[in-house]
Amino acid sequence: MTLNYNYNLELTKSRECSHTSWVWDLDVTKDEKYFLTASGDNTIALWDVETMTLQHQIKKDSSLSACRFARNDTFILYGGMGKKIFINNRFNNEQMHVIDSHTGDINTVSVSVNDTYFVSGGFDKNIHIFDLENPSIPVEKIDNAHTSYVCALRNHPKNTNMFVSGGHNGEVKLWQIDENFRNHQKILSYNVKTAIWAINFDQTGKYILTGEDSNLLNVYDIESKSIYHRYITGSKVHSVIVSPNNEIIICGLSDGNIVFFSLSKKEEIYRFKPHSSTVRGLAILSNPNRLLSVSADKSIQLHDINDPNEVLGSFLDKDNEVAYWLDSINLSKYMDNFLSEGFDELEILVEVTNDDLEEIGITSSEDIAILLNAISNLNIGGGNSNNNN
């Protein structure tokens, strides 16, 4: 089945194992050539989409849960459990600003559509607004923006001075600021009565989409101030995006599923389960049509939406030879199995046996045969693998 904007619903995927903890967030450059990931392993990673390799990582002292590009993709904004927001130069990794205006951990950051300001929110219940020309301190603070912590923020796709926030207590609030990013006004507020983990607008800015603890995706009509539709998801919604033509809503769920809903027909179209844990972030790459997803299972996956038979490869740490080797034999799905058990050098693999592969969780006899054959052909330093038990 093919959707009318040329997306095929059968998806292929690839895995990555460079992050060693949850991948919390992602963002893509405007030219769709690079993307960022933020992880609980205290790193921000910059990836090349076409070569599928890690370009560089930024290491901090605590978990990082939010990241965005800014200033024509020359800045990297990120924050997390350390209560600070960092701004680095994307090209040379130079740290340009460290912002410590929040008194609680950072949950979310969002950049305006015209790239002039950004907003941040976190466990201190506050929202801070920063001028990207001089982001050292906030130009505006919305203290106690929510009665519980701020879970999600998103800027309006059309109105540059408008953004929406979602709170852990279920509050949704639409905010307006002036051209100097000051004098905030709350122009809309409603409560879905359960924690909001994901928030977004549709492409026109007519609807607010909220992903919630109640296994629902709510679509709220801003003009009529009423619920347009409630989609039953079957699991908590932790990420939500809308297709470029505004026809399809794509949700990432806590059970590892990704679900496609029709916005106009108000129905589920398709679901599949590429992840083993919460899908924390999604992004569409439009040329060609692909879908990026990141998860609490530590993986990044790239889904080919047009040609389900095409194998895309894997996002790899360019310094990890085992990751590359697994990718070369089309078994990247076992990167976690190998690297988490310390099989991170080719020299180690030459001694791996059938029993070793089963012990690290590989159960497919066909895949084991492929792996053992490939290991026997490694011939590292003249060594031979002992793969006959």
Side-chain angles (χ1 to χ4, degrees):
M1 176 179 177
T2 302
L3 300 180
N4 58 10
Y5 60 102
N6 200 32
Y7 277 25
N8 193 299
L9 292 179
E10 292 187 59
L11 306 176
T12 58
K13 61 183 181 295
S14 56
R15 296 181 61 86
E16 174 278 326
C17 196
S18 180
H19 284 301
T20 58
S21 184
W22 283 40
V23 187
W24 284 97
D25 197 11
L26 87 160
D27 195 29
V28 180
T29 56
K30 293 179 176 65
D31 62 12
E32 300 184 349
K33 292 182 178 180
Y34 300 93
F35 70 96
L36 280 176
T37 51
S39 174
D41 63 10
N42 306 351
T43 67
I44 292 289
L46 177 67
W47 303 88
D48 185 308
V49 173
E50 295 308 317
T51 63
M52 298 185 176
T53 55
L54 176 67
Q55 298 302 290
H56 59 252
Q57 282 184 309
I58 302 168
K59 181 77 172 178
K60 292 300 179 183
D61 295 328
S62 56
S63 174
L64 297 169
S65 55
C67 62
R68 286 293 180 270
F69 289 105
R71 302 299 281 179
N72 293 318
D73 299 328
T74 60
F75 289 2
I76 296 173
L77 314 176
Y78 57 100
M81 289 186 66
K83 305 179 183 179
K84 296 178 180 179
I85 300 169
F86 303 91
I87 302 180
N88 283 50
N89 183 302
R90 168 190 154 194
F91 298 102
N92 61 17
N93 242 8
E94 176 188 358
Q95 184 168 281
M96 304 166 65
H97 299 279
V98 180
I99 305 165
D100 59 358
S101 59
H102 281 281
T103 58
D105 294 336
I106 309 300
N107 285 328
T108 177
V109 293
S110 181
V111 177
S112 65
V113 67
N114 64 350
D115 225 10
T116 57
Y117 73 94
F118 76 93
V119 290
S120 61
F123 278 88
D124 59 6
K125 309 176 187 178
N126 302 331
I127 296 172
H128 292 180
I129 306 168
F130 300 85
D131 183 345
L132 278 164
E133 286 285 353
N134 182 19
S136 298
I137 58 173
V139 296
E140 182 87 337
K141 294 182 179 181
I142 308 177
D143 292 332
N144 295 312
H146 288 268
T147 56
S148 186
Y149 58 84
V150 181
C151 293
L153 290 163
R154 185 68 66 167
N155 286 81
H156 196 279
K158 303 295 184 182
N159 187 328
T160 58
N161 294 332
M162 188 180 291
F163 61 91
V164 67
S165 61
H168 189 258
N169 63 345
E171 294 174 333
V172 180
K173 297 184 180 183
L174 187 64
W175 306 91
Q176 181 95 38
I177 55 176
D178 65 21
E179 64 274 10
N180 296 313
F181 323 127
R182 299 177 185 273
N183 299 318
H184 67 273
Q185 296 181 5
K186 182 179 65 179
I187 60 177
L188 178 67
S189 179
Y190 61 96
N191 199 314
V192 299
K193 304 185 187 306
T194 183
I196 296 168
W197 299 113
I199 202 162
N200 211 335
F201 293 95
D202 75 311
Q203 298 291 351
T204 69
K206 178 181 179 180
Y207 300 116
I208 298 172
L209 291 72
T210 55
E212 304 156 14
D213 248 355
S214 57
N215 301 348
L216 292 174
L217 172 73
N218 271 309
V219 180
Y220 186 91
D221 188 314
I222 295 173
E223 185 176 350
S224 67
K225 296 183 179 180
S226 63
I227 296 293
Y228 167 75
H229 190 63
R230 288 187 174 96
Y231 297 89
I232 298 173
T233 60
S235 186
K236 299 175 184 178
V237 180
H238 279 259
S239 49
V240 58
I241 59 174
V242 180
S243 64
N245 68 352
N246 213 41
E247 291 184 7
I248 305 299
I249 303 169
I250 307 175
C251 296
L253 307 184
S254 60
D255 62 3
N257 273 291
I258 295 176
V259 188
F260 289 63
F261 295 105
S262 169
L263 180 57
S264 60
K265 295 180 180 180
K266 302 180 181 180
E267 63 184 15
E268 181 177 323
I269 300 171
Y270 182 76
R271 72 172 56 211
F272 69 114
K273 189 175 182 180
H275 292 283
S276 61
S277 188
T278 305
V279 181
R280 288 290 310 177
L282 296 165
I284 290 175
L285 305 176
S286 58
N287 187 25
N289 293 323
R290 290 166 293 176
L291 176 70
L292 271 170
S293 60
V294 299
S295 171
D297 66 10
K298 310 175 189 177
S299 75
I300 303 165
Q301 301 197 15
L302 181 64
H303 313 273
D304 178 1
I305 309 178
N306 287 323
D307 183 1
N309 296 313
E310 181 182 359
V311 178
L312 297 178
S314 303
F315 288 99
L316 308 173
D317 181 339
K318 59 187 177 182
D319 295 324
N320 192 286
E321 56 189 5
V322 172
Y324 271 117
W325 173 75
L326 285 168
D327 187 50
S328 71
I329 59 174
N330 296 321
L331 289 177
S332 300
K333 62 184 177 180
Y334 294 126
M335 287 182 198
D336 284 345
N337 304 70
F338 276 83
L339 300 186
S340 64
E341 295 296 328
F343 296 115
D344 54 1
E345 296 179 4
L346 292 179
E347 288 83 355
I348 299 174
L349 297 188
V350 297
E351 300 298 330
V352 167
T353 68
N354 188 101
D355 289 344
D356 293 329
L357 295 178
E358 291 179 350
E359 286 178 7
I360 64 173
I362 301 173
T363 58
S364 167
S365 58
E366 181 179 350
D367 288 348
I368 288 175
I370 294 171
L371 286 163
L372 292 177
N373 181 64
I375 289 170
S376 69
N377 291 325
L378 284 174
N379 196 26
I380 301 296
N384 294 306
S385 65
N386 176 24
N387 53 24
N388 295 315
N389 293 329

